[in-house]
Amino acid sequence: MSVRELESFGSVIPDEYVERLVAALTLTYVGYKGASYSFSRTSFYSDAAAPRISRMFEKFDNKSAEEFVKTIKTNSILKSRICHVGQLSRLRTLGNILLNKPEITSDTKIFLELLVDESRTKELYNEINK
């Protein structure tokens, strides 16, 4: 299923799919660092999906925000990708979207504040690698 199709569901996602959906959207948005003979860029992500994913994150409820934090702390693929500045920056963009939501819990908010604060990058890495 494409991000376009997922976006059409809005925020009506059954609980049993939230974890997988949040992880998939996060990995797609963050992308990966690589090299290509065809492209001069080294950060690869879906240009078409990125704005749709941003809009989906704007509609996230507290459960989805908590799953985002869980994904950051537990997903080994994501952890390996965000050791690169470009990918970490994109993850921070998603964190900022969620940080602006008034309904997030205090624990989630504390972690998101850590995520988006560029002066606390080392502390962030320590937190997710516990």
Side-chain angles (χ1 to χ4, degrees), residues 8-99:
S8 70
F9 290 114
S11 59
V12 184
I13 305 296
D15 284 347
E16 64 264 23
Y17 297 116
V18 171
E19 181 178 347
R20 286 178 45 205
L21 175 69
V22 171
L25 291 174
T26 302
L27 288 167
T28 301
Y29 189 89
V30 167
Y32 61 93
K33 185 174 178 73
S36 170
Y37 293 112
S38 303
F39 302 100
S40 61
R41 70 188 206 184
T42 58
S43 290
F44 295 91
Y45 51 87
S46 173
D47 293 323
R52 293 178 186 281
I53 293 170
S54 294
R55 287 192 299 268
M56 292 174 76
F57 265 67
E58 289 169 1
K59 296 176 184 173
F60 273 10
D61 59 10
N62 190 55
K63 178 170 178 47
S64 298
E66 289 173 355
E67 285 298 335
F68 175 69
V69 170
K70 180 181 170 189
T71 297
I72 296 169
K73 291 181 174 182
T74 63
N75 189 295
S76 59
I77 296 169
L78 182 62
K79 286 181 184 185
S80 70
R81 290 181 181 181
I82 63 170
C83 67
H84 303 289
V85 174
Q87 284 65 43
L88 179 57
S89 176
R90 292 183 63 77
L91 184 67
R92 285 179 163 144
T93 299
L94 294 176
N96 270 313
I97 292 169
L98 295 177
L99 195 53

